[in-house]
């Protein structure tokens, strides 16, 4: 199930119709209050959020979703008419997993939704665990701990950390990270990667030092110093 929060009725109906026609169950909401009521009954697999909404700003909704235990790891994409690099970075830095400026092409939207769902971790695969000193990561549980402290990451932040941990010592350029994690390119791509690395380090605290910057190249996971 995919939830769409969009106050423009024509866009809302078109997106819901397109997703349903592509075999994906979707439901649209014109107001945040209707969305919150539906969320009490059923947690979807993915949420599409407009930013400029009546009653409540989309970024405020995003912040609340990231604080709730049942939605903190849910894939969330922002749909908005604000398409500048600043707005894109702000949306991603606030915890969004994707940022899709309007107007968008419907099949591109479908493709990016499918990519997010594929990366959401619902694969039933065997668990892979990684540990560096006090940093512990479980792929299957989507769990990150630094010592006894549990760290809450967005889907993209988690994927970045997992990719680096599974390739210790390997340097990934920003373009490689964008391709492997996002699967597409857009304006301001290097900035997007840098923002995610920065917030990831901040959330990891002392363990953030394991994510090393290789000047002129990119990023890698290093060992304990």
């Amino acid at each position: 199930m995919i939830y769409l929060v969009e106050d423009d009725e024509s866009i809302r109906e078109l997106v819901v119709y397109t997703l349903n026609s592509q075999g994906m169950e979707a439901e649209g909401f014109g107001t945040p209050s209707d969305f919150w009521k539906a969320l009490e009954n059923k947690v979807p697999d993915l949420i599409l959020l407009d930013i400029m909404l009546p009653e409540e700003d989309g970024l405020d909704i995003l912040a609340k979703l990231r604080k709730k235990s049942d939605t903190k790891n849910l894939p969330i994409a922002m749909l908005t008419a604000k398409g500048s690099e600043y707005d894109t970075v702000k949306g991603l830095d606030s915890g969004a997993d994707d940022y899709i400026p309007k107007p968008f092409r419907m099949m591109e939207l479908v493709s990016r939704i499918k990519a997010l769902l594929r990366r959401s971790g619902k694969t039933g695969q065997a668990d892979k665990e990684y540990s560096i000193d006090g940093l512990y990561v479980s792929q299957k549980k989507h769990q990150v701990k630094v010592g006894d402290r549990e760290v809450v990451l967005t889907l993209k932040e988690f994927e970045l950390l997992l990719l680096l941990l599974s390739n210790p010592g390997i340097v990934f350029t920003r373009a490689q990270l964008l391709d492997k994690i996002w699967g597409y390119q857009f304006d301001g791509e290097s900035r997007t990667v840098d923002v995610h690395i920065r917030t990831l380090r901040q959330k990891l605290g002392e363990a953030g030092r394991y994510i090393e910057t290789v000047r002129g190249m990119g990023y890698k996971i290093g060992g304990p110093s």
Side-chain angles (χ1 to χ4, degrees):
M1 169 64 78
I2 297 171
Y3 282 174
L4 164 66
V5 189
E6 167 62 67
D7 61 324
D8 188 312
E9 184 177 2
S10 60
I11 295 177
R12 187 172 68 249
E13 291 182 351
L14 178 59
V15 171
V16 170
Y17 172 80
T18 301
L19 294 179
N20 287 334
S21 69
Q22 294 294 313
M24 292 181 281
E25 188 178 3
E27 187 172 353
F29 307 95
T31 63
S33 55
D34 289 340
F35 163 73
W36 288 118
K37 289 178 184 177
L39 195 64
E40 292 177 0
N41 298 321
K42 182 180 179 63
V43 176
D45 299 310
L46 182 145
I47 296 174
L48 301 174
L49 271 178
D50 188 21
I51 288 185
M52 300 179 68
L53 291 166
E55 302 179 350
E56 192 173 8
D57 183 86
L59 291 176
D60 292 334
I61 296 175
L62 174 63
K64 291 180 181 179
L65 291 170
R66 288 304 183 216
K67 292 178 180 178
K68 288 169 55 66
S69 60
D70 56 346
T71 58
K72 64 181 181 181
N73 296 322
L74 209 62
I76 300 175
M78 309 303 291
L79 304 179
T80 177
K82 293 185 176 182
S84 70
E85 180 179 350
Y86 170 81
D87 291 315
T88 301
V89 170
K90 184 178 179 181
L92 294 170
D93 205 14
S94 298
D97 295 299
D98 201 353
Y99 191 101
I100 307 171
K102 301 173 184 174
F104 48 79
R105 291 170 295 188
M106 294 309 300
M107 295 318 297
E108 178 187 359
L109 175 64
V110 170
S111 178
R112 286 161 73 158
I113 288 173
K114 288 181 177 178
L116 279 176
L117 290 173
R118 282 197 303 269
R119 299 184 183 112
S120 63
K122 300 174 182 180
T123 59
Q125 61 191 33
D127 191 19
K128 290 185 179 180
E129 297 178 322
Y130 303 91
S131 181
I132 303 177
D133 280 359
L135 173 63
Y136 166 81
V137 178
S138 168
Q139 180 176 8
K140 186 175 182 180
K141 298 176 184 176
H142 199 99
Q143 184 180 55
V144 178
K145 285 187 175 182
V146 176
D148 296 329
R149 177 175 64 93
E150 185 158 354
V151 180
V152 178
L153 301 180
T154 67
L155 179 61
K156 287 292 185 291
E157 291 165 353
F158 184 79
E159 289 178 346
L160 271 172
L161 181 59
L162 204 62
L163 176 63
L164 293 172
L165 284 171
S166 61
N167 296 275
I170 302 299
V171 179
F172 288 91
T173 66
R174 291 170 177 79
Q176 288 174 326
L177 290 173
L178 190 72
D179 180 64
K180 290 179 179 294
I181 302 301
W182 280 265
Y184 63 92
Q185 295 186 349
F186 56 88
D187 291 341
E189 60 186 40
S190 295
R191 176 64 175 158
T192 298
V193 173
D194 292 340
V195 165
H196 278 74
I197 291 292
R198 187 186 74 233
T199 55
L200 180 55
R201 282 171 170 159
Q202 291 173 344
K203 290 181 178 181
L204 294 177
E206 291 185 1
R209 70 182 187 274
Y210 299 139
I211 303 176
E212 299 180 3
T213 300
V214 181
R215 188 177 297 275
M217 296 183 65
Y219 300 98
K220 71 173 184 177
I221 281 285
S225 54

